[in-house]
Amino acid sequence: MKVTTYLTTLLSAAVLLSCMPEIDTDKFTNYTYRGEWGIPLVNSRVSLQDVLAEDTLFTIDPDGGLRLIYESDSVFGFAIDDFAAIPGQDPLETTVPLDVPSLNVSTSLGTIGGAKFKQLRIREGSLKLEVDNPTANSVDLSVTINNADISGQTFSINLTATPGISSQTVDVAGLDIDLSNNGLTENYLSFEIDILSNGGATAGQTVDLALTYEELLVGRAVGYFGQRTVAVPSGNFQLGVEAFENFLNGLYLADPTIELVVSSNVGLPLQLDLDLDGVSTAGQLESLGLAAINITGPSVIGNYDTTNILIDRTTSNIVDFIANVPNTILYSGAGIMNPQGETGTDNFITADGEMQVGLRIDLPLALRTQNLIFQQEIGNLDFGGLTEQTDAVEELTLKFHVENEFPFDADMKLQFYQNDVLTDSVLLDLFDAAPVDGNGRSTGYQITDEDEVLSGDKINRLLQADRLVMTITLNTTNNGNTTVKLYEDYDILVQLGVDAKLNYDL
Amino acid sequence: MKKLVYTSALSIIVAAGAVAQSNITQYNFDRVGNFMLANPAAYQPYRAVVGVPGISALATTVHNPSFDLNVALGPDLDGQESVDYILDNIQQGDRLLIGQSIDLMYVGFRTGNGFWSLGVQSKTYVNFEYPIDFIELAVYGSASDQVGGTLNMKDNFTEVNSYINYHLGYQHELMDGRLRVGGRFKWLQGVGHASLAKSDLDATLNSDEWTFNTDIEANIGAAIDYQNTGAGLDPMGVLFGDNRGWAFDLGVSYEILPRLEISAAATDIGSITWKSNTTTYRSKGEFTWDGADYNYGSEGGGINGDSLLNDIIEALEFQETTGETFTTSLPSNYTIGVRYDITRKHGFAGTYQMNQWRGRTYQNFGVSYIGNWSKWFSFYASYALIEGDNTNIGVGFSANLGPIQLYIMTDDIYLATGENLNHANFRFGMNIALYRKDLRGYDLEIEEVEVASPPVQENSDNSESQENND
């Protein structure tokens, strides 16, 4: 075998190995995907039991009917300073002759609203004593409050008045004052001033004494507290019914009630003019429209009196108030103390005096809905590469299958949003109301199958959407004119599938 | 489950090249010592062979009998036509096999009438059986006429396997060399594995619900903690870890008449038991996917392709179990051959090979020309039917340049012409090889010049003289 033979053989092999096949992988980059898919997208069964599990406000009646109860022991309240306030006092000024052993002076407690106190306990406050001594020597005085004591001890204070003006302030917290002057009058204040040392003053010489109660707060009071207006502290509270959060309006309940519960240990009649306004998620305001409420309070010190005021469709605007589906309730108003004026019965209040106003909203879910709006957003939509091409989906059919046990029928408006701009929408007759018996109870499921075929432009706008807003309008049986009842065992199945024919360039 | 997919994909990339499931060529090419692994009783022409570490024997195979990659990937068809061509040609049970083997070390030496061989070999292969229904689902969609809303897969055999083979073999010549018997023990060290042990799935796919009836079991095993990528690579864990197994080869060759030899070999009879870093995913039962659940109180999260795919996979309720032991068998080969040497330089052979793996049988048959044209150069050619593919013409060369042996061969020369890419196979390597003194068919004194060096230049007289010696 010659070398040339070997070389020829090897060369031939090399030539063969150099003939590698021609490969065109770019052709797949122009591939148009034309798959046809039928895909179930959403399967959601919601029962009222699911709602109940999430929402503690629902209770179940013995017959399985649902009732929504919101309770708050204290929405707002009043305390002792609201009812028994003492305004700033004028000074009691007297000239004290230095050549007598003592003298008595009296005055009246300044009050507001014509209040006439018979007994007071000072919770906080002070007594300011100011002396103008024109003599050349110091003078020693003792000031005693005649009709007051602290824990049984007569309140007395000594002071030395140096020549010129001097003053002293003493704490009078805990001071019990009998302002009735032994049952003869009200608001009576009396002082005794003893001259302990006149500093060698000659006859006719005097000092000027001014006594002023400052910043008195009442710890206990008996008497007539006057007729005046106290403001209800304005505020709001969230109703916190999650089931209502996405409803907008149109929820007409047959027998809603609100019970106001006023608990008070203040012996004081009060006429309460209360404003309760409900604000829906959409910001719509509806007033409850309450009449004035009269509260009498307890007749014996230390007792609590509870007043229950039932608000229903006959005494208020509660049906429309609830139909607005309030999410937030605003409260404000005013109370008139002693609305009948002075009746001869003493008012009283103690340091722990309070008047708390709570409420109990009781909504038996016997209702009718007329165009009750439910809204739900589906965000974070991402259709992936389908959004990069127009006409990437040739045909698209949304297929709804609904098994509904609720006595509502529903129409749905599905709105497509792109960058918060509404680009398109579709309307669907989503499901029909389940039939009801004479008691308004559903007797079975109503099955609805609805297909919505989307056109090319609509498909493109749907695929471009980054957010869908689903607005469902609910009407009870008979177009919202029949009152139905909701029971915990109601549920609804919503299935959404799609049939899609793609025309997508890879 | 995703890990299984990712691991499989990664392994396919790693393999990128193959273990020869067809051994038609190497079975008869006895001038390459490493090919003794195809038949432990194959004639060994050497006193000693030492493989150059790492490049002693490299083999790569891509086998795709159902369609021609050249047509599918070539420029004559557009993308749509290529996809249609593929789908028109693949049948249930068709597979894509990708494999690679590397002899990290190989040594063989003669002792009297015996020949010892030992070595370390790395093997990786991917056997991917086309899940036709899945492919049609992906291409046409569930609502297409082609798919018709149903999906059926049963007993799909897909496996990725990588292991290290530490082998020791011995061959003995009897009856003055007319009978040779050989055997080899292989201690196997598993490196990585992923397979579908069970893969039964029936599905009905409608737009209101997808229902599945499954009996699926997928196994993963690895020498490294693949779930903890920060753990770092432990070489000893890879080379001598807990994923162990063994296998053996047996072979016999007998010269029934002068120059007429028959042989038989059984190789890779064994298995690997995977114990470390194992994870098993199971799904068995009836499952339904009827859309994403939007329960009361949910945030109304997004819908997108990824979440849908995840939800559908979750609907199959795969149970993940770690630490389970499982055993995988090797693809075993049973080969019989007959060879007739017309002269000492030219011979022909017929070979039948049966490859058995997980209950499947793949059959290959080939006829070969063996041209040991001189001690320093051999040429080989074959024609083979490989798994029904009849377009496999193989060629190979080996050159012994003194003690340095180089070889290169392929089972399918059409790979080079680019006319047919059903089967792509390529082997090459480099050894230090010293011929035995009693090389079959050669007289040492006559061939002394050839053994010493390749002919660099010969005059016509010398050439004539050598031809006369044939």
Side-chain angles (χ1 to χ4, degrees):
Chain A
M1 189 72 69
K2 296 179 179 179
V3 171
T4 50
T5 306
Y6 299 121
L7 292 176
T8 302
T9 307
L10 287 172
L11 185 60
S12 300
V15 168
L16 287 172
L17 288 169
S18 67
C19 298
M20 291 305 291
E22 188 178 357
I23 291 176
D24 176 17
T25 55
D26 287 341
K27 63 184 178 183
F28 293 105
T29 61
N30 298 322
Y31 183 80
T32 300
Y33 183 71
R34 294 191 173 90
E36 297 176 50
W37 289 89
I39 305 175
L41 281 183
V42 174
N43 175 46
S44 180
R45 181 179 289 278
V46 177
S47 72
L48 278 180
Q49 287 172 332
D50 298 331
V51 176
L52 298 179
E54 295 279 337
D55 216 318
T56 57
L57 300 181
F58 284 98
T59 61
I60 303 167
D61 290 341
D63 68 347
L66 288 179
R67 183 180 295 272
L68 190 150
I69 294 178
Y70 174 88
E71 277 187 300
S72 173
D73 291 339
S74 177
V75 176
F76 61 88
F78 302 99
I80 185 170
D81 293 335
D82 295 312
F83 298 131
I86 298 175
Q89 300 292 306
D90 294 332
L92 169 59
E93 295 175 341
T94 183
T95 299
V96 181
L98 296 176
D99 55 353
V100 298
S102 66
L103 78 160
N104 284 294
V105 294
S106 63
T107 188
S108 285
L109 180 72
T111 62
I112 53 177
K116 299 173 182 177
F117 291 109
K118 294 180 177 178
Q119 296 174 20
L120 276 181
R121 175 174 291 163
I122 305 302
R123 191 171 85 244
E124 291 180 19
S126 58
L127 176 65
K128 182 179 180 184
L129 304 97
E130 187 175 81
V131 182
D132 183 0
N133 180 3
T135 69
N137 300 311
S138 293
V139 173
D140 294 328
L141 301 175
S142 170
V143 175
T144 301
I145 305 175
N146 287 328
N147 55 341
D149 62 72
I150 295 178
S151 301
Q153 298 294 315
T154 301
F155 187 87
S156 180
I157 184 167
N158 297 334
L159 71 157
T160 299
T162 56
I165 296 174
S166 61
S167 68
Q168 185 175 348
T169 299
V170 294
D171 185 5
V172 294
L175 187 69
D176 283 315
I177 310 173
D178 176 8
L179 299 115
S180 69
N181 193 19
N182 295 318
L184 299 176
T185 185
E186 303 91 12
N187 297 337
Y188 177 73
L189 295 173
S190 173
F191 300 90
E192 178 182 314
I193 303 158
D194 295 309
I195 296 90
L196 303 178
S197 167
N198 63 6
T202 59
Q205 285 190 303
T206 61
V207 296
D208 292 328
L209 174 64
L211 302 171
T212 310
Y213 280 111
E214 295 183 329
E215 298 178 352
L216 296 181
L217 294 177
V218 176
R220 182 174 181 275
V222 175
Y224 172 61
F225 293 176
Q227 188 180 55
R228 62 185 173 89
T229 300
V230 291
V232 170
S234 60
N236 67 80
F237 61 93
Q238 302 292 313
L239 198 53
V241 185
E242 291 184 20
F244 284 2
E245 282 182 356
N246 293 319
F247 287 100
L248 298 186
N249 55 49
L251 181 65
Y252 293 96
L253 300 183
D255 190 23
T257 60
I258 296 177
E259 186 178 23
L260 286 178
V261 182
V262 182
S263 175
S264 172
N265 62 355
V266 181
L268 174 69
L270 186 73
Q271 179 180 302
L272 198 57
D273 289 310
L274 190 59
D275 294 326
L276 288 177
D277 298 320
V279 182
S280 69
T281 306
Q284 194 73 29
L285 187 141
E286 187 70 41
S287 178
L288 184 57
L290 291 175
I293 299 163
N294 286 305
I295 299 155
T296 55
S299 57
V300 177
I301 294 177
N303 285 357
Y304 270 87
D305 175 74
T306 302
T307 305
N308 296 69
I309 302 102
L310 188 66
I311 302 163
D312 59 21
R313 60 188 310 143
T314 63
T315 61
S316 70
N317 184 39
I318 191 169
V319 173
D320 290 336
F321 178 83
I322 296 299
N324 186 45
V325 195
N327 180 265
T328 302
I329 294 180
L330 311 176
Y331 57 86
S332 61
I336 301 173
M337 295 166 51
N338 292 309
Q340 303 300 320
E342 192 171 2
T343 61
T345 301
D346 284 342
N347 305 142
F348 60 81
I349 193 167
T350 55
D352 60 353
E354 61 175 352
M355 183 181 289
Q356 295 295 338
V357 180
L359 59 76
R360 183 175 192 270
I361 301 175
D362 185 356
L363 307 177
L365 294 184
L367 53 93
R368 62 185 176 86
T369 66
Q370 280 184 323
N371 298 326
L372 176 64
I373 304 295
F374 173 89
Q375 272 196 342
Q376 171 81 48
E377 272 195 22
I378 300 176
N380 302 320
L381 282 180
D382 178 9
F383 292 97
L386 293 176
T387 62
E388 296 166 4
Q389 300 174 22
T390 55
D391 302 322
V393 179
E394 198 172 303
E395 293 175 13
L396 181 67
T397 303
L398 301 176
K399 303 170 79 73
F400 288 89
H401 173 81
V402 180
E403 297 174 12
N404 176 35
E405 197 183 15
F406 287 85
F408 303 101
D409 63 32
D411 299 326
M412 186 179 80
K413 184 176 187 180
L414 192 62
Q415 295 171 303
F416 313 155
Y417 281 88
Q418 183 183 8
N419 299 324
D420 292 328
V421 175
L422 177 64
T423 55
D424 210 334
S425 64
V426 294
L427 289 170
L428 292 167
D429 178 13
L430 196 58
F431 56 83
D432 298 327
V436 296
D437 60 18
N439 296 319
R441 174 157 195 162
S442 166
T443 56
Y445 287 92
Q446 184 72 36
I447 296 175
T448 307
D449 287 296
E450 172 83 4
D451 289 0
E452 178 71 15
V453 180
L454 300 185
S455 67
D457 287 343
K458 257 191 188 357
I459 295 170
N460 289 334
R461 292 176 193 129
L462 172 61
L463 295 179
Q464 296 294 332
D466 51 32
R467 183 165 62 97
L468 297 179
V469 176
M470 186 170 58
T471 304
I472 298 175
T473 305
L474 293 170
N475 286 292
T476 47
T477 306
N478 193 22
N479 233 359
N481 292 311
T482 298
T483 297
V484 300
K485 288 191 73 175
L486 295 188
Y487 290 84
E488 62 160 341
D489 54 358
Y490 285 177
D491 66 16
I492 184 171
L493 170 72
V494 178
Q495 291 181 322
L496 169 62
V498 296
D499 278 341
K501 186 174 182 180
L502 304 177
N503 186 31
Y504 179 68
D505 292 330
L506 296 177
Chain B
M1 189 60 191
K2 276 188 172 177
K3 288 171 188 163
L4 176 64
V5 176
Y6 295 150
T7 305
S8 303
L10 182 62
S11 301
I12 290 171
I13 294 168
V14 168
V19 133
Q21 288 303 298
S22 162
N23 62 10
I24 295 294
T25 50
Q26 58 185 347
Y27 188 81
N28 295 297
F29 204 168
D30 56 20
R31 280 294 173 92
V32 178
N34 311 62
F35 291 171
M36 187 184 189
L37 269 67
N39 178 9
Y43 176 75
Q44 288 300 298
Y46 301 109
R47 272 201 316 266
V49 181
V50 178
V52 177
I55 57 170
S56 173
L58 295 97
T60 296
T61 291
V62 177
H63 187 45
N64 186 58
S66 55
F67 61 91
D68 188 352
L69 286 167
N70 186 35
V71 176
L73 301 177
D76 295 337
L77 301 180
D78 64 23
Q80 186 67 51
E81 291 169 335
S82 289
V83 171
D84 291 341
Y85 164 74
I86 292 170
L87 287 172
D88 286 345
N89 283 279
I90 54 175
Q91 306 291 327
Q92 292 289 352
D94 286 347
R95 65 170 178 166
L96 167 66
L97 175 72
I98 304 172
Q100 181 183 62
S101 74
I102 301 172
D103 280 16
L104 303 173
M105 187 198 88
Y106 178 80
V107 174
F109 57 90
R110 178 164 299 284
T111 57
N113 289 331
F115 189 86
W116 294 87
S117 62
L118 66 157
V120 181
Q121 186 182 48
S122 165
K123 280 188 155 183
T124 300
Y125 52 78
V126 178
N127 188 82
F128 176 71
E129 211 166 76
Y130 290 109
I132 296 175
D133 276 46
F134 271 102
I135 295 171
E136 289 183 336
L137 174 67
V139 172
Y140 299 125
S142 61
S144 63
D145 293 338
Q146 292 87 342
V147 173
T150 60
L151 180 65
N152 306 103
M153 181 175 76
K154 190 171 182 62
D155 196 23
N156 179 273
F157 175 26
T158 291
E159 177 172 321
V160 181
N161 208 14
S162 179
Y163 63 94
I164 297 172
N165 168 16
Y166 301 89
H167 58 87
L168 172 66
Y170 178 73
Q171 175 194 109
H172 198 84
E173 292 181 351
L174 304 165
M175 303 171 65
D176 294 329
R178 287 188 294 126
L179 174 65
R180 293 184 303 278
V181 292
R184 178 174 293 102
F185 176 76
K186 297 172 175 175
W187 187 71
L188 309 175
Q189 183 64 53
V191 176
H193 176 89
S195 67
L196 283 172
K198 297 177 182 175
S199 55
D200 295 349
L201 185 149
D202 293 323
T204 303
L205 313 172
N206 297 318
S207 57
D208 55 348
E209 69 175 20
W210 287 10
T211 57
F212 301 91
N213 197 327
T214 66
D215 186 4
I216 300 173
E217 181 177 317
N219 294 317
I220 296 176
I224 60 171
D225 184 358
Y226 64 93
Q227 302 208 56
N228 179 16
T229 53
L233 180 64
D234 173 18
M236 293 306 290
V238 174
L239 296 173
F240 303 103
D242 293 329
N243 298 319
R244 297 168 191 158
W246 58 269
F248 64 87
D249 303 340
L250 293 174
V252 59
S253 297
Y254 180 60
E255 188 176 281
I256 55 176
L257 293 170
R259 297 181 177 177
L260 179 62
E261 183 176 274
I262 59 173
S263 62
T267 58
D268 283 339
I269 314 298
S271 62
I272 299 173
T273 298
W274 300 83
K275 293 181 177 176
S276 71
N277 302 309
T278 60
T279 308
T280 299
Y281 298 90
R282 290 188 181 87
S283 169
K284 183 176 174 62
E286 292 185 10
F287 306 98
T288 299
W289 160 255
D290 50 14
D293 288 332
Y294 273 82
N295 296 320
Y296 175 80
S298 71
E299 294 296 322
I303 299 174
N304 55 55
D306 284 346
S307 69
L308 275 178
L309 184 60
N310 287 336
D311 287 345
I312 291 170
I313 292 174
E314 282 180 12
L316 299 182
E317 297 181 17
F318 275 94
Q319 304 297 312
E320 178 180 327
T321 309
T322 58
E324 282 191 7
T325 298
F326 59 91
T327 299
T328 56
S329 58
L330 301 185
S332 52
N333 290 296
Y334 304 92
T335 313
I336 57 174
V338 56
R339 168 172 170 168
Y340 181 69
D341 290 324
I342 299 171
T343 70
R344 67 184 182 88
K345 293 189 177 182
H346 305 285
F348 291 90
T351 309
Y352 168 77
Q353 177 199 3
M354 182 172 68
N355 175 246
Q356 285 198 321
W357 201 4
R358 281 266 301 267
R360 285 160 171 74
T361 299
Y362 306 102
Q363 301 184 81
N364 307 320
F365 173 75
V367 292
S368 310
Y369 163 75
I370 305 114
N372 293 323
W373 294 347
S374 73
K375 278 191 172 181
W376 78 273
F377 188 86
S378 295
F379 174 76
Y380 177 93
S382 68
Y383 170 76
L385 287 167
I386 299 176
E387 289 182 44
D389 174 27
N390 58 4
T391 57
N392 305 291
I393 297 177
V395 295
F397 311 89
S398 79
N400 289 56
L401 310 176
I404 306 298
Q405 180 191 47
L406 299 170
Y407 67 91
I408 183 170
M409 62 190 306
T410 178
D411 281 349
D412 189 359
I413 194 63
Y414 278 133
L415 165 69
T417 66
E419 294 180 15
N420 181 292
L421 290 183
N422 293 74
H423 183 64
N425 168 275
F426 190 61
R427 297 185 184 89
F428 72 95
M430 178 185 290
N431 296 309
I432 309 296
L434 302 175
Y435 280 111
R436 57 194 290 181
K437 293 184 183 300
D438 55 346
L439 181 62
R440 185 168 64 181
Y442 280 81
D443 183 320
L444 183 62
E445 292 180 2
I446 295 174
E447 299 297 329
E448 190 173 4
V449 175
E450 284 187 330
V451 171
S453 61
V456 292
Q457 183 62 51
E458 296 173 327
N459 58 37
S460 58
D461 293 341
N462 288 339
S463 176
E464 185 67 24
S465 171
Q466 288 192 5
E467 289 297 322
N468 291 338
N469 291 329
D470 287 348

